[in-house]
Amino acid sequence: MHEEKARVAVVWGAGGLGIALAEALSRRGAYDQVVLVSRKPESHTSSAYTVMEGDLLDEASIERVISDVKALGQVVTVVSAVGVLHGDDLQPEKALRQVNSQNLHHVFSVNAIGPSLLAKHFVPIMPRKSRAVFAAISARVGSISDNRLGGWHAYRASKAALNMMLKTISIEWQRANPHSVCIGLHPGTVDTDLSKPFQRGVPPEKLFTPEHSATMLVGVLENATSEQTGGVFDYAGKKVPE
């Protein structure tokens, strides 16, 4: 008799939201194993999930993680929970004159190229005849039609690029597995390091804890259908304009 493989979910990115997503997926009980991938695994300990070391922008590192994950069972859900908006020498641009190639390259690398590499290497090892989900944390500001304020050039453009990659991946993946789901997720404004400098003016009821946002997003993941593949959805399950 064929032995059924353990169901595995992978969250790549150990920021505040990534950790909360791993915990939320573990609580659901739909997976036999939940894996959190971090560049610094020694700083994370949990009995709810397994922690592995991985570098989003190093394909060899991604392949090593996949080898270790495959030993645990069948990967059925992958969530890319990585993103960059600001840093020591990086701030969202308020005007075109502030755009520079170094910051553009870095922001695109983390927000668009990294998740695309994850899909490149994870999708081929996921189920081919049953439901499989690849999701990436996107943002409402990545919507082209909804952009009425301008600014934040690199971040907006990188998230728009991510959304297009997810759409394109979804089309190719459905040819191989009509049950596949490839979507972007807008988590809302989450109280993490990424949003802290920009929380002024956000109504208290719209500033989510990582735990609240993660719980909502996991619900969206569980309810997403193959007909919705290629879209971007917010924490309430509503489609974000393209």
Side-chain angles (χ1 to χ4, degrees):
M1 180 180 296
H2 178 70
E3 184 177 351
E4 187 173 345
K5 292 184 178 180
R7 290 168 53 83
V8 180
V10 177
V11 177
W12 197 296
L17 184 58
I19 293 172
L21 281 166
E23 292 173 345
L25 287 167
S26 299
R27 288 195 301 270
R28 290 288 187 175
Y31 305 96
D32 301 296
Q33 292 273 357
V34 175
V35 176
L36 177 71
V37 184
S38 170
R39 287 181 300 168
K40 299 178 180 179
E42 66 279 359
S43 61
H44 305 282
T45 56
S46 174
S47 59
Y49 51 80
T50 300
V51 183
M52 294 184 180
E53 181 177 3
D55 184 342
L56 178 76
L57 300 180
D58 182 346
E59 290 198 62
S61 177
I62 296 173
E63 290 173 336
R64 286 193 294 271
V65 170
I66 285 178
S67 177
D68 292 339
V69 167
K70 286 172 66 177
L72 299 177
Q74 174 73 73
V75 178
V76 296
T77 298
V78 176
V79 182
S80 171
V82 297
V84 62
L85 172 59
H86 62 90
D88 292 339
D89 299 313
L90 172 67
Q91 291 295 324
E93 310 92 344
K94 294 181 179 180
L96 182 61
R97 65 179 178 274
Q98 295 174 328
V99 171
N100 70 70
S101 60
Q102 182 177 349
N103 287 349
L104 278 171
H105 185 272
H106 177 61
V107 173
F108 267 76
S109 293
V110 176
N111 291 346
I113 296 174
S116 301
L117 293 177
L118 293 188
K120 170 187 174 181
H121 290 283
F122 271 102
V123 164
I125 71 164
M126 297 176 78
R128 298 183 179 182
K129 297 183 179 180
S130 59
R131 188 174 186 272
V133 179
F134 182 92
I137 298 299
S138 187
R140 187 177 298 277
V141 297
S143 167
I144 293 175
S145 64
D146 195 46
N147 182 1
R148 294 176 175 84
L149 297 176
W152 288 30
H153 296 73
Y155 189 72
R156 285 184 184 274
S158 66
K159 291 298 187 178
L162 169 63
N163 296 347
M164 179 58 81
M165 284 298 300
L166 294 172
K167 177 67 175 181
T168 305
I169 292 164
S170 74
I171 294 170
E172 179 178 342
W173 196 9
Q174 282 220 319
R175 292 176 185 145
N177 179 3
H179 307 289
S180 62
V181 178
C182 181
I183 59 175
L185 297 171
H186 168 58
T189 303
V190 186
D191 189 12
T192 62
D193 290 340
L194 184 142
S195 72
K196 279 195 184 302
F198 314 102
Q199 292 177 6
R200 182 185 300 176
V202 178
E205 68 274 12
K206 291 294 186 179
L207 181 60
F208 300 150
T209 65
E211 293 74 20
H212 176 73
S213 180
T215 298
M216 298 281 282
L217 292 178
V218 169
V220 175
L221 284 174
E222 291 182 343
N223 292 316
T225 67
S226 56
E227 287 75 22
Q228 294 174 310
T229 193
V232 180
F233 300 88
D234 70 11
Y235 51 87
K238 296 180 180 179
K239 195 171 189 298
V240 174
E242 295 179 355

